[in-house]
Structures are given as C-alpha cells and as structure tokens.
Amino acid sequence: MEIVLSKILAQIQHREDKLSSQMMPTAEEAYQMTLFLREMLCTVKSEVLKTGFKDEQQEIEFFRNIKPQILGKLIYYNKVFRIETTCPVSTGKIHQNFYENLLKNLKSEYKESICNEDFYRYYRAGRTDRDQIYFRLGQINYHDGLKSGVFEIDLSFSTYYDNKIAYIIANELLYTYMLTKINPEENPDTILQNVDANKDISWTNSQNALIELIYALYASNSIAYGKIGIRKLALIFQVLFRTPLNDIHHSFHRMKTRAGSRTAFLDQLKISLEEYMDKDI
C-alpha cells in the first residue's frame, strides 16, 4: 500500500478550489467538503485494512502525516457546517457575540485539552524519537492515563495520537475561520464582493503558488519594510486578485515539509524570467 501525502493534499486542494469557485454559501461548501473528505477517509481506510503497510516507516508516515490531514479537515468542515447552520443572525452584535463566544471556548479547549499535553510539545518540536510508539498500531499504553476517547477509536485504523494531530489541525483552521468572522473588515469574501475596480485582474496559478509568493515577500521585508503582518498582506493580495485564500498558515507549514523543492513556484518564476530575458539577446 502506498498513499502519498502530496497526492492527498492535491486532491483536497482541488476540491476546495472547485467548490470555492462556485461561490456557494459557506454552509453548503462546508457540507460538500464534509461528504468529500468522509468518502476519502473511508476509501483510504479500506485500502489500509486490505493491504496493510510494507514497513514501519510507511506506517508511521501514514498515521503521523497522511490520515491526520484528511481527518483534521473533515473535523474542521463538519464544525464549520454546524456553526453556520446554528448562527442566529448574519450581522450585528448578536452575530459578533456568537463568534466571540465560540472563539473563547475554542481557546479554552485548546489550552486544557491540547497544548498542555506532552504530546503537543513533542509534535510541535518536530521530534521523531517516539514515533514508533505514537504512530504504530497496537502501541497504546493505558498506563499513561489516556482520556476516555481512546476507547472510542477503531484500533485497526488509529494509533490514538493520529487523532490528536487531526484535532490540532482542525482547531488551528477553526481559529482562523472565527477570527475572520469576528473581524468582517478582514473577510476577503466580503471585500471581494464589493470591489469592481480589479474585476479583470485574476490570479491564474494555484492558491499555493500565491501563498508561496506572499510569504516570500513577507519574509524579505519587501513591502512596507516588513511592517505589514502576514494576514493583512495576504488580504491585500486576495483583494487585488479577487482570490480567496484558505488557511494560509496551514498551507505554509505544508510547504515546509513537502517533497522536492519547498519553493517550487519561486524556482519556476526565476526560470521563466531568465527565459524571458534570453529572448531579447
């Protein structure tokens, strides 16, 4: 069995881009993504149960990196759907309070259930010395005093800690989503609907390419001497190109660990520019 992380991420990104281009309500988009990711997870599970893993490293890679990406996004989109379909109003103080309370609860849950755990520090530090314990089937140690959720997982398809990473991913996505809802002036969808001056300007490459460019400009202090934050800088490009960008921070972290060149778009930009220069020689 060989399930490649880059292919999984590409499939998810393609589906997100396709639904985003249809400009459907957020609740419907979240619902469609929930169905898509649930089907993907079921397909991957069937393949794993049928063929297993060729070696320990493949098993660790799957439960540390691949499954959490699918499950994390699934948890996120299902939560967004629930939020969007229970929000009492679309604007005003009640709307603001609704999302502020959700964000407060999310921060509290994150602090109590995730970031104070040893595993969270292990994962954030990028350590791998305990991967054979955390990300291989049948290695759960109940003497560690694990939470009761461990008894609800499918032990043939979970090491328990893959679920923890999935919740870390989901919570980070939810944090960005709620901040956008609380600060509508920074909501690219709202701005894009009201800006006509640049309607003929569009970004025709991938979202990841644009995010790579934005981070490069930010890291090099090329705009306003680096005094503009990454979220505001991303918003400027979203408005300019009328292109909504989802979870830029998460996309950036994926870039840092992707196979091959981590700066694929910037590498291609250099090649394209040099080829263009050579035309005039």
Side-chain angles (χ1 to χ4, degrees), residues 13-205:
Q13 185 69 56
H14 176 73
R15 186 65 174 181
E16 289 175 330
D17 292 345
K18 183 177 180 180
L19 293 176
S20 179
S21 67
Q22 297 176 16
M23 301 299 288
M24 61 180 61
T26 303
E28 180 61 22
E29 183 176 335
Y31 176 70
Q32 292 298 329
M33 281 303 302
T34 299
L35 296 180
F36 171 78
L37 290 163
R38 181 179 180 276
E39 180 63 27
M40 174 181 279
L41 190 63
C42 289
T43 300
V44 169
K45 179 178 181 179
S46 296
E47 188 171 345
V48 167
L49 295 181
K50 180 180 179 180
T51 62
F53 302 100
K54 67 179 182 180
D55 53 34
E56 292 181 3
Q57 191 54 46
Q58 188 183 65
E59 182 178 357
I60 290 171
E61 166 68 11
F62 178 78
F63 287 113
R64 178 175 179 129
N65 296 316
I66 297 175
K67 183 189 170 188
Q69 290 293 339
I70 305 172
L71 182 57
K73 283 268 182 138
L74 176 57
I75 295 169
Y76 165 68
Y77 278 111
N78 183 59
K79 183 67 173 179
V80 169
F81 174 74
R82 293 175 59 189
I83 291 172
E84 290 290 333
T85 53
T86 55
C87 184
V89 291
S90 58
T91 58
K93 189 64 177 177
I94 295 178
H95 176 273
Q96 183 86 1
N97 290 339
F98 177 77
Y99 284 100
E100 286 179 351
N101 287 332
L102 286 175
L103 182 59
K104 181 179 179 180
N105 292 337
L106 181 67
K107 289 180 178 179
S108 177
E109 176 186 345
Y110 205 68
K111 183 176 181 180
E112 294 176 4
S113 304
I114 298 179
C115 67
N116 284 335
E117 295 188 351
D118 290 338
F119 174 75
Y120 179 83
R121 290 185 284 273
Y122 173 88
Y123 175 67
R124 280 296 180 222
R127 290 168 53 190
T128 59
D129 52 288
R130 294 180 62 83
D131 278 5
Q132 288 192 331
I133 297 174
Y134 287 141
F135 303 114
R136 294 197 61 216
L137 295 171
Q139 301 297 312
I140 296 176
N141 184 358
Y142 296 100
H143 282 105
D144 289 340
L146 305 177
K147 294 185 178 180
S148 299
V150 69
F151 302 114
E152 301 173 2
I153 62 175
D154 182 352
L155 295 180
S156 67
F157 189 61
S158 178
T159 70
Y160 176 68
Y161 291 98
D162 57 291
N163 283 31
K164 283 188 169 293
I165 294 180
Y167 274 97
I168 291 172
I169 292 172
N171 277 29
E172 290 182 345
L173 293 173
L174 284 167
Y175 181 77
T176 301
Y177 160 77
M178 290 177 191
L179 283 180
T180 303
K181 287 292 186 177
I182 292 171
N183 300 295
E185 70 278 3
E186 296 187 16
N187 185 340
D189 292 328
T190 301
I191 296 175
L192 295 178
Q193 292 171 4
N194 298 321
V195 177
D196 295 323
N198 60 344
K199 62 182 179 181
D200 295 327
I201 303 175
S202 62
W203 180 261
T204 54
N205 210 308

